[in-house]
Structures are given as structure tokens and as C-alpha cells.
Amino acid sequence: MDILSWNGTLSSSDFRLAACAFMEKWKSVMSAFPPWSWVTCAKQPWVASHDVEGYLSLENIILRSIEEEHDELSCPQKEETSCSEKEEPIDIATLVQSNCSKVPYYDLHIIYSASYRVPVLFFRAYYSDGEPLGFNEIEKDLPAHSAKALLDSKWTYITQEEHPYLNRPWFKLHPCGTSEWMKLLFHADVSVPKNGVAIELYVVSWLSVVGQVVGLRIPLEMLNQL
Amino acid sequence: MAAHDSEGTILVFAQFQSKVDEGFWHRLSSLKLNKLGIDDSPIPITGFYAPWSHPQVSNHLTLLTQSLPTELSEQSSTAATSHGNRNRCPVQGTLYNMNTIESFYALDKRSLLKEEAKKIWDDIHTGKAVEDSAVLSRFLLISFADLKNWTFHYWFAFPALVLDPPATVVDLRRASEYFSLEEAESVSAACNEWRNSSFTAEVPFFLVSIDPNSHATVKHLKDWETCQSDGHKLLFGFYDPCHLPNNPGWPLRNFLALICVRWSLKSVRFLCYRENRGFADLELSLVGEALITVPQGWRDHQCLPNAVGWEHNKGRQVSRCINLAKSMDPTRLAISAADLNLKLMRWRALPSLNLDALSSIKCLLLGAGTLGCQVARMLLAWGVRKITLLDNGRVAMSNPLRQSLYTLDDCLNGGEFKATAAVKSLTRIFPAVDAEGIVMAIPMPGHPVPNHVEDSVLEDCRRLHDLIDSHDAVFLLTDTRESRWLPTLLCANTNKIAITAALGFDSFLVMRHGAGPFSSNHDFKAEAANALSAIGNFARTDSDERLRLGCYFCNDVVAPIDSTANRTLDQQCTVTRPGLAPIAAALAVELLVGILHHPRGIFADGEVANSSSNGSSEQPLGILPHQIRGSLSQFSQMTLVGHSSNSCTACSRTVVSEYQERGMEFIIQAINHPTYLEDLTGLTELMKSASSFNLDWDNDTDLEDDDCVQV
């Protein structure tokens, strides 16, 4: 595909292609993380396409390194409306751990948007007890350098919307700027004018930008064409 | 605990840690609402866990959406889980979801734990645990779902059969230190194969048999007989979710119980299998030797040992609580969706959009008819949250068609009060709105009041005064000219933003009133103003007036009287083209938003469209007109500017100061004597002098001069 005439978007079948290429690359390069999986969903009856609908999913991952000290001050005391088991005998074989490290876990979904014709990153964060993180807490959790720059930029905007398949509020990176900066991104790649736009690299390149919003760094090896 | 302690320290296990995904609570709520109702019988659920794999945090026993059976099927949830996911080894559990917090607290936890432990005990004795070893990690969950507050109280128990006396450990160390190099390599390979095969990936308990040639094989528990050859080392392996270097994970407890009962071993060499990056990691995995004293009576199936296992919460044995209102409460979701919409607008198109001003402004709508309903809806769309509607009418059968907040139900039984019905409707649309309805008539000049109701009219005047005082912007949306008089005066008196919308048959007027005569206008000769304002603003020159924008009455030559004869705007409002009200209402609200974003607010000059002198091409929202007059017959609209009149019966200095001096007495006089206002402002004189030139006027009348169209 000629870069000059390309508008920065991709079709849903190309997304599927790029997603598969991305999953393969990820498995080989990002071994510290579990692999992405493709979740197939029931097709909505009003969708005209014949493709199988689905999205990429990576769940339950920890994106930051955790400090070893367990700060008692950072553990908010929940109301004492809990029942306790006074009858159970103290068992000397049970290790009592009083640490309360609040580690945020992330779920990432990459879902294709038919109206914008680009992938969209949906994400949510929660602590190990399941308590979800609000937007402010996620912002605090982001590595400092990426947070400010990204969130103020005109290309990325985090909104909270209903997940198209799970019907619960997730955070998402609004897609309306995506095609513009994807075009810029591919323009900047020197191999493109010669070989044309390698659409199967779309998802990888896209995530290398978008992943930074959640503090996910994609190493350069991921971007090399095989 | 020292790794090479040969005295046999008590083997201390790290408890399972639970993690519940939000989806589990969502599904439980929906099951409860749609299917279970008050049924609180136990529900089979599935938990998932995997060997430890993250560098710093233990793995958890996790509950997901699919841990619960779907609403449609009765079958146990294990059938629905995707098999072969090596990171989600399924474990059966039982959920007791109670209907009240009291019954949650009142549950006999000891006996519940005992009951669950008994299932494990039975499985050990019958041999089922050897066939399907995951049953050793059976768990229990009690919960109470408060679906009004979206709060979930819950408590996990991981039943472990207690060895009495407890097992002791001799020699607990890293697996890499225990195995020889070849053994280590072989064990790793065998384990990886076990983990990669979809038949065995989810089997959390296994045997590791190492032959004299350091070749390791991993086998099912049921193949124990085949591992009895001499010279073979045998280890009992299990997926260990724990990350601690000196403690094995919880699953080992019941594993030891199984080994003890079925194979009567007193010394057990175990392997705490842990992973890194998806592969067996023998640096992190532990190997130890446990010494067991088989308790009296354990051979006897009937004799159930003690069990422990209620999960600790921050070191204490208490239940947990999680609040998911933010993601489950529909009102909260509606609020964040509404905010999102506006924020998107600000981000993509209008960075200077002042959302705080919009959400904090208090708007008073006088009139809840065609204009009032539409203005209210438009305000909601702009993020305004505080809306008060004033109207003394009831919803009539013809209203719902044109008055967009009402439906047929509001018309029944004589009709609800509009103000009340409007508030209910707004709240249905957006629960977070702070809407108030006032059922009241606006006192009008030229409509004399009999003595016996004078007190209640005075009361209404005072009430209106207070209402205007307590709001920031007032919309004059009534259906007569004279009902706009008192509100205009009161707004001019307190310098509140006043926006008028008036409808004719196919034309409309939308305008913002200028600032009041005694307001401080910083732009006007500041030094002079400061000097004068020291004595209270009474020494302004007449030229001030011309700089103020006019109000609805400033263009009148006549004072507002009982309007039945004339056929101009406001006086035949029962017959208007339906499209007018939505257009006018929308413009009125956009005008308000413009005022809120203009640096000079109510003092902003009136701008005219397509004027080359528009300095406000810099204003992101565009120009801020004074008046907009539109015509549907022409599908046209024009912007006009009109300055205040010294003889205005509503906002001139004369009238406002008279009100300030005499208050209600003045109001009553204006209400009861139709010509009082004209006399006061000198309009009577003006009329007299105008009518003396009647003949000349007739000859010069030019009806095509739009600027002179009488309102």
C-alpha cells in the first residue's frame, strides 16, 4: 500500500492479520509477560461483516515494579463492618502475613473500532482484592515522564466508556486521533516508501505508542520486520 | 526459618490469597436479581490458580466472571471454563451468598468450614483425590451482596486438614541446590512438558520420579504404585502459588494429609513448583522434607480432623468488603458518561470550555411550557445541574406534544402541576440533576389585585425576589409580556443574568438583558467611577445608560399592560409554529453559555454577526449577540444590538431606584395602576409629544424597516 495515499486506518480483516502477527512477536520478545490471547465473541446481528468478531486480551498483569517495603500508612483502613472468626483456634502452622502491598493489576484489551477503523486500547486496573482503580489513581500509577506528556497531548485522551462486549465501564484511549498519528508514524519509517505500508505491523507500531499510556514499553525488537 | 535446620522446625505454610475480579460480582448481582431471588442455597463455583510466576507477588486463587454458572444453564461452572489454559487451573468451591448482612454475620463459620473440609476428607479416603487431585484445594466463599449500595462483603476459607502434632520440616531449600545439574535439567524439562500439555497443565498435584540415571518423569498421583522402584527418587510436586523463600504454599497441607492417609508415609519429600516467565524455575522452586506423625484415628474415615483456613485480611481473621458503586451504580455511570461527553468537546474542539462554571451555575426558569421544557433539556446537555422551574399551570392534554418534558400520564386527573412534572421528568432523564419546581404565579402590572389577595401577592413578590437572589441566571420564558416585568426589574436590581425568549406565530426573539443600572462596570472610566462609587453609585451621568445593553422592555414605547389587543410577540403564543420554541430555547441556552465564557460576562458588548469590527473572532464560542430575532417564514435570523432606555419601565435607573427605596409598596402600585410606570418614567410625556405628530408619522411609516419592529 502506498504511504502517500494511506489514511492511517486499517480494515477489520487486516486488523485480524496484524493481531496475529503481533501475538507471535510478543511471545518471542516479551517473555516476561504472559501471552496475549484472542477472545472470540458472538457476532452482533447488525454487524454486516463476515469476519469472526474478536479482540486481543492480556489480563492480570503487573506493569510496575513493586517496592519491597510494606508501608503501613498506605493501607487505608476499611470500615470495621466485618465479621471475625473468634472461634477458630490459632494454628501454628499458618503463616500470618500482615503486609498490605497494594499492587495494581491491569487488564488490557485491544478492540477494533469499525467506525474509526483503528484499534482501540481498553484497559482497567484493580488491586488484588478486586477494588478497581479510578482514573486519578491510574494517573498516579503511571511512570512520571509518560503521564504528563501523554495525557496533555492532543493525540491521546483517556475516557471511560462501556466495554463493547463486557458491558462494564472500562477506560479507553479515544480513537479519533489514531489514524493521524499512525500515518505520521509510518511516514517516519524509512523502509516504508520503498516497501509500502506493511499492514501486519500496524498493531505492533500502534501499541508502541499507545502502550506508554499505561506504562507498557515495547522494546524496539518488536518493531523489526521479520 | 533456617534452611538447614536439622532439628525439625514446624512447617509453616503461607495461606492462599484470594482475588476476585469485578466480573464475578457483576455476574453474581445479575444472577441474584434475575434468577436466584432470595434463594440462598449453596452455589458451586470455580476458582482458578497457577504456580507462582510474578517476581514479587504471590499468585492468587482468582474468581472471574466465569467462576459462576451462567444464568441460562444449570450445569456446574466447570463445564463452562476453557480448558487447557495453563494459567487457570480450575478448583471447585462453594459459595454461600446470604440475603442480609445479619445472616452473613450469623453464619456458623466453624461448621461451614468443617463441612467443606469433610468433602476433602471424603475424597481422600475414597480415592477421588488421587484421580482428580484438584479437589484437595477445594475452597469456600461466604458473601453478602448489598445491591443498593453496590457493596460486597465476602470471606474466603481454604480448608486445610490440621495435622496434630504439626508436620515438621527438615531441610527446606532451593530446588536447584537440592538436585544435581543433570537432575535439575531433566526435572525442568519434564515439568515444562507437563505444563505444556493440555491434558496435564491443569493438574496441580503430581509425582516426580528420578531414576538412577538422573532422568526425571512427571506422573499422575494415581501412578504412585509404579514409582516404587528401588534407586528412584520420589518427590511429591504441586503448583505452589506462594513466592516466599522459606514457606511452602497452602496446597501442600492437604497434599500431606492425602499422602499420610493413603500411603502412610512418615517422611515426604516435596517440590514446591514455581515458574518464571512461563518456564519451570528451580531457583525459585523449593524442595523440602516433611516429617509427619500420623495422628491417631486418621485411618478412620469417620473421624474428621480439625480444619483451619479462614482467610486473613491484613493479618486479622476478618471478612472483606469491596464497593463497586463507581462501576455498577447506574446513576454514577450516567454522571460520568455525561461528564465525558463535555470533556470530549473540550478536548477536541473547545479547550477553553469552562465545565466548572457550567456545572456550578444555578438557573431559574420562569415558565415550564414549550420554552421552559426545551431550555431545561438544553441546560442538561451543557452540564448544568441546578435547575429551578417556576410555573403555576397544570399539564394540559395538548401540552406533551410541544412541551418536551411531559407525557400523557402527566395530563391525567386534571393534570399535574407543570413545575412538579418537569422536575420528575428531568430526574428521570438524569438522576443527578438538582431540580426544583415552584408552583407560583408571577405578579403582573396592569392586572390589579383585590385587597383580600394583596398579602399573598406580596408574598409571591418576595418569593420571586428571593428566588432570583439565590440563582445566577434567570430565563424569562413566560407567555405574556407583563409577566416579564417584575423578573426583569428584580434582575436589574441584583444584576443577575437575564435571558428572554419570546415567540410570535412564526418569529422569535431571544435576547440577554444588559447589566442593571447600579452595577459596577469596570471598563467605564475607572477613576471617575471609583470616585463616584464611594458614595454609592448615585452620581452617574446619563451617558451611562446608553452604554448598558437594553432589556426586553427598553424598546417599548408603551409600558406593559394587559395584553389582549395587540398581535405582536408574546400575545398570541397559543398559536406558534412548533419549530420556533426549540430553536428559540436552544439559542437562549447557547447565549447563556456564551455569557459564561465571555471575560466581561453580563457586561459584554452586544456583537453583530458578519461585522468586520468583531474583536471576538478570538472568542472560541464565536460572537456574543445582544438580540437574535428570527423568522421561520424566511428561515432567517439576525443579530441586533439595542441599548438601554432612560425611560424603560423595567430597568431604568428611575424605576430600579424607586424599587430600592420603596420595595413592595412600589410593586403593588405598579401592579394596581396601569399608567403609574409610564408616568414615573416619563413615557406618558413621550407618548403625548409623539401623538401630537400623528399625521406626520402616518405618512412616514415604513413597514419594511426591520429595526423598528415593535416587540
Side-chain angles (χ1 to χ4, degrees), chain B residues 243-270:
Chain B
H243 74 289
L244 298 172
N246 294 322
N247 303 83
W250 203 250
L252 182 57
R253 294 195 79 151
N254 290 335
F255 197 17
L256 289 179
L258 170 80
I259 295 166
C260 175
V261 166
R262 291 212 69 81
W263 301 315
S264 310
L265 297 179
K266 297 203 178 62
S267 154
V268 175
R269 197 159 280 283
F270 58 85

Tab-separated table of all heavy atoms in Angstrom, chain B residues 243-270:
chain	number	residue	atom	x	y	z
B	243	HIS	N	5.222	-17.102	46.919
B	243	HIS	CA	6.509	-16.616	46.430
B	243	HIS	C	7.573	-16.587	47.514
B	243	HIS	O	8.713	-16.214	47.248
B	243	HIS	CB	6.358	-15.224	45.833
B	243	HIS	CG	6.172	-14.146	46.871
B	243	HIS	ND1	5.020	-14.003	47.598
B	243	HIS	CD2	7.014	-13.178	47.308
B	243	HIS	CE1	5.133	-12.989	48.424
B	243	HIS	NE2	6.332	-12.465	48.282
B	244	LEU	N	7.217	-16.957	48.724
B	244	LEU	CA	8.169	-16.781	49.823
B	244	LEU	C	9.271	-17.840	49.773
B	244	LEU	O	9.007	-19.000	49.457
B	244	LEU	CB	7.425	-16.869	51.161
B	244	LEU	CG	6.365	-15.790	51.360
B	244	LEU	CD1	5.558	-16.077	52.607
B	244	LEU	CD2	7.036	-14.416	51.432
B	245	PRO	N	10.485	-17.439	50.111
B	245	PRO	CA	11.599	-18.392	50.013
B	245	PRO	C	11.643	-19.409	51.140
B	245	PRO	O	12.341	-20.408	51.041
B	245	PRO	CB	12.827	-17.484	50.059
B	245	PRO	CG	12.373	-16.245	50.745
B	245	PRO	CD	10.923	-16.087	50.464
B	246	ASN	N	10.917	-19.176	52.211
B	246	ASN	CA	11.030	-20.077	53.350
B	246	ASN	C	9.739	-20.785	53.723
B	246	ASN	O	9.691	-21.469	54.738
B	246	ASN	CB	11.510	-19.304	54.586
B	246	ASN	CG	12.919	-18.801	54.389
B	246	ASN	OD1	13.742	-19.502	53.799
B	246	ASN	ND2	13.202	-17.604	54.839
B	247	ASN	N	8.730	-20.600	52.928
B	247	ASN	CA	7.466	-21.242	53.260
B	247	ASN	C	6.822	-21.834	52.021
B	247	ASN	O	6.756	-21.179	50.987
B	247	ASN	CB	6.481	-20.230	53.863
B	247	ASN	CG	7.034	-19.551	55.090
B	247	ASN	OD1	7.773	-18.586	54.980
B	247	ASN	ND2	6.700	-20.094	56.250
B	248	PRO	N	6.347	-23.052	52.154
B	248	PRO	CA	5.589	-23.610	51.031
B	248	PRO	C	4.165	-23.068	51.030
B	248	PRO	O	3.702	-22.510	52.023
B	248	PRO	CB	5.581	-25.121	51.328
B	248	PRO	CG	5.771	-25.224	52.796
B	248	PRO	CD	6.490	-23.996	53.261
B	249	GLY	N	3.505	-23.233	49.909
B	249	GLY	CA	2.151	-22.722	49.787
B	249	GLY	C	1.120	-23.642	50.427
B	249	GLY	O	1.405	-24.777	50.796
B	250	TRP	N	-0.067	-23.135	50.553
B	250	TRP	CA	-1.163	-23.807	51.233
B	250	TRP	C	-1.535	-25.184	50.666
B	250	TRP	O	-1.869	-26.094	51.445
B	250	TRP	CB	-2.376	-22.875	51.186
B	250	TRP	CG	-3.411	-23.102	52.245
B	250	TRP	CD1	-4.666	-23.598	52.069
B	250	TRP	CD2	-3.290	-22.805	53.636
B	250	TRP	NE1	-5.345	-23.648	53.259
B	250	TRP	CE2	-4.516	-23.148	54.234
B	250	TRP	CE3	-2.266	-22.288	54.445
B	250	TRP	CZ2	-4.750	-22.997	55.601
B	250	TRP	CZ3	-2.507	-22.134	55.803
B	250	TRP	CH2	-3.740	-22.486	56.366
B	251	PRO	N	-1.515	-25.355	49.334
B	251	PRO	CA	-1.963	-26.648	48.805
B	251	PRO	C	-1.208	-27.836	49.397
B	251	PRO	O	-1.723	-28.957	49.421
B	251	PRO	CB	-1.693	-26.551	47.297
B	251	PRO	CG	-1.679	-25.100	47.009
B	251	PRO	CD	-1.140	-24.444	48.232
B	252	LEU	N	-0.024	-27.607	49.914
B	252	LEU	CA	0.765	-28.712	50.452
B	252	LEU	C	0.109	-29.338	51.674
B	252	LEU	O	0.272	-30.536	51.936
B	252	LEU	CB	2.184	-28.226	50.794
B	252	LEU	CG	3.154	-29.294	51.330
B	252	LEU	CD1	3.293	-30.449	50.332
B	252	LEU	CD2	4.520	-28.681	51.624
B	253	ARG	N	-0.673	-28.547	52.399
B	253	ARG	CA	-1.263	-29.084	53.639
B	253	ARG	C	-2.143	-30.292	53.359
B	253	ARG	O	-1.960	-31.366	53.955
B	253	ARG	CB	-2.098	-28.010	54.337
B	253	ARG	CG	-1.290	-26.840	54.858
B	253	ARG	CD	-2.075	-26.002	55.829
B	253	ARG	NE	-2.110	-26.636	57.141
B	253	ARG	CZ	-2.209	-25.960	58.278
B	253	ARG	NH1	-2.283	-24.653	58.266
B	253	ARG	NH2	-2.254	-26.597	59.437
B	254	ASN	N	-3.092	-30.119	52.479
B	254	ASN	CA	-3.980	-31.237	52.198
B	254	ASN	C	-3.267	-32.340	51.410
B	254	ASN	O	-3.652	-33.506	51.462
B	254	ASN	CB	-5.232	-30.747	51.460
B	254	ASN	CG	-6.122	-29.914	52.375
B	254	ASN	OD1	-6.087	-30.066	53.599
B	254	ASN	ND2	-6.916	-29.041	51.789
B	255	PHE	N	-2.252	-31.931	50.685
B	255	PHE	CA	-1.454	-32.913	49.957
B	255	PHE	C	-0.785	-33.857	50.955
B	255	PHE	O	-0.789	-35.087	50.805
B	255	PHE	CB	-0.407	-32.178	49.096
B	255	PHE	CG	0.201	-33.015	47.998
B	255	PHE	CD1	-0.396	-34.198	47.557
B	255	PHE	CD2	1.387	-32.611	47.390
B	255	PHE	CE1	0.167	-34.952	46.536
B	255	PHE	CE2	1.960	-33.357	46.352
B	255	PHE	CZ	1.349	-34.533	45.939
B	256	LEU	N	-0.213	-33.277	51.994
B	256	LEU	CA	0.406	-34.103	53.031
B	256	LEU	C	-0.631	-34.997	53.700
B	256	LEU	O	-0.356	-36.172	53.998
B	256	LEU	CB	1.081	-33.221	54.091
B	256	LEU	CG	2.364	-32.492	53.660
B	256	LEU	CD1	2.900	-31.650	54.804
B	256	LEU	CD2	3.423	-33.481	53.203
B	257	ALA	N	-1.813	-34.442	53.906
B	257	ALA	CA	-2.872	-35.258	54.514
B	257	ALA	C	-3.180	-36.445	53.631
B	257	ALA	O	-3.327	-37.590	54.091
B	257	ALA	CB	-4.123	-34.396	54.715
B	258	LEU	N	-3.272	-36.216	52.330
B	258	LEU	CA	-3.541	-37.295	51.380
B	258	LEU	C	-2.453	-38.356	51.433
B	258	LEU	O	-2.720	-39.556	51.546
B	258	LEU	CB	-3.617	-36.712	49.958
B	258	LEU	CG	-3.652	-37.751	48.837
B	258	LEU	CD1	-5.045	-38.313	48.689
B	258	LEU	CD2	-3.186	-37.155	47.533
B	259	ILE	N	-1.214	-37.884	51.376
B	259	ILE	CA	-0.081	-38.807	51.358
B	259	ILE	C	-0.080	-39.646	52.626
B	259	ILE	O	0.155	-40.859	52.623
B	259	ILE	CB	1.241	-38.009	51.233
B	259	ILE	CG1	1.287	-37.292	49.880
B	259	ILE	CG2	2.437	-38.921	51.406
B	259	ILE	CD1	2.347	-36.232	49.779
B	260	CYS	N	-0.362	-38.952	53.711
B	260	CYS	CA	-0.353	-39.597	55.012
B	260	CYS	C	-1.410	-40.688	55.100
B	260	CYS	O	-1.164	-41.792	55.549
B	260	CYS	CB	-0.602	-38.495	56.041
B	260	CYS	SG	-0.774	-39.050	57.683
B	261	VAL	N	-2.602	-40.395	54.633
B	261	VAL	CA	-3.699	-41.342	54.767
B	261	VAL	C	-3.576	-42.499	53.789
B	261	VAL	O	-3.734	-43.657	54.137
B	261	VAL	CB	-5.047	-40.620	54.546
B	261	VAL	CG1	-6.183	-41.618	54.347
B	261	VAL	CG2	-5.348	-39.693	55.710
B	262	ARG	N	-3.307	-42.148	52.519
B	262	ARG	CA	-3.351	-43.205	51.510
B	262	ARG	C	-2.087	-44.034	51.466
B	262	ARG	O	-2.128	-45.217	51.190
B	262	ARG	CB	-3.583	-42.574	50.131
B	262	ARG	CG	-4.981	-41.985	50.027
B	262	ARG	CD	-5.519	-42.057	48.624
B	262	ARG	NE	-5.806	-43.420	48.192
B	262	ARG	CZ	-6.911	-44.095	48.494
B	262	ARG	NH1	-7.821	-43.538	49.256
B	262	ARG	NH2	-7.097	-45.308	48.043
B	263	TRP	N	-0.938	-43.383	51.692
B	263	TRP	CA	0.302	-44.119	51.507
B	263	TRP	C	1.125	-44.252	52.771
B	263	TRP	O	2.243	-44.755	52.747
B	263	TRP	CB	1.116	-43.454	50.389
B	263	TRP	CG	0.339	-43.433	49.097
B	263	TRP	CD1	-0.375	-44.479	48.562
B	263	TRP	CD2	0.165	-42.340	48.212
B	263	TRP	NE1	-0.975	-44.085	47.376
B	263	TRP	CE2	-0.655	-42.776	47.143
B	263	TRP	CE3	0.633	-41.018	48.197
B	263	TRP	CZ2	-1.024	-41.938	46.088
B	263	TRP	CZ3	0.261	-40.190	47.148
B	263	TRP	CH2	-0.563	-40.647	46.099
B	264	SER	N	0.559	-43.761	53.863
B	264	SER	CA	1.163	-43.933	55.177
B	264	SER	C	2.642	-43.585	55.254
B	264	SER	O	3.414	-44.253	55.905
B	264	SER	CB	1.000	-45.395	55.653
B	264	SER	OG	-0.322	-45.785	55.517
B	265	LEU	N	3.052	-42.555	54.578
B	265	LEU	CA	4.451	-42.160	54.646
B	265	LEU	C	4.679	-41.240	55.830
B	265	LEU	O	3.837	-40.418	56.166
B	265	LEU	CB	4.866	-41.431	53.359
B	265	LEU	CG	4.792	-42.254	52.084
B	265	LEU	CD1	5.214	-41.399	50.897
B	265	LEU	CD2	5.717	-43.468	52.193
B	266	LYS	N	5.801	-41.382	56.440
B	266	LYS	CA	6.108	-40.504	57.562
B	266	LYS	C	7.094	-39.415	57.162
B	266	LYS	O	7.271	-38.417	57.860
B	266	LYS	CB	6.699	-41.331	58.712
B	266	LYS	CG	5.731	-42.350	59.259
B	266	LYS	CD	6.077	-42.740	60.688
B	266	LYS	CE	5.052	-43.725	61.240
B	266	LYS	NZ	4.999	-44.995	60.489
B	267	SER	N	7.739	-39.671	56.046
B	267	SER	CA	8.694	-38.669	55.561
B	267	SER	C	8.358	-38.387	54.107
B	267	SER	O	8.305	-39.307	53.298
B	267	SER	CB	10.114	-39.215	55.712
B	267	SER	OG	10.965	-38.608	54.774
B	268	VAL	N	8.130	-37.159	53.818
B	268	VAL	CA	7.674	-36.787	52.479
B	268	VAL	C	8.618	-35.749	51.895
B	268	VAL	O	8.829	-34.684	52.484
B	268	VAL	CB	6.249	-36.187	52.532
B	268	VAL	CG1	5.824	-35.690	51.153
B	268	VAL	CG2	5.259	-37.191	53.087
B	269	ARG	N	9.153	-36.075	50.755
B	269	ARG	CA	9.978	-35.069	50.086
B	269	ARG	C	9.102	-34.363	49.069
B	269	ARG	O	8.513	-34.980	48.194
B	269	ARG	CB	11.177	-35.728	49.388
B	269	ARG	CG	12.253	-34.698	49.054
B	269	ARG	CD	13.614	-35.331	48.844
B	269	ARG	NE	14.310	-35.631	50.079
B	269	ARG	CZ	14.933	-34.721	50.824
B	269	ARG	NH1	14.937	-33.466	50.483
B	269	ARG	NH2	15.567	-35.099	51.937
B	270	PHE	N	8.982	-33.058	49.213
B	270	PHE	CA	8.049	-32.332	48.364
B	270	PHE	C	8.766	-31.297	47.511
B	270	PHE	O	9.866	-30.844	47.840
B	270	PHE	CB	6.946	-31.662	49.208
B	270	PHE	CG	7.477	-30.696	50.256
B	270	PHE	CD1	7.761	-29.377	49.931
B	270	PHE	CD2	7.681	-31.128	51.569
B	270	PHE	CE1	8.231	-28.501	50.890
B	270	PHE	CE2	8.156	-30.243	52.537
B	270	PHE	CZ	8.436	-28.931	52.199
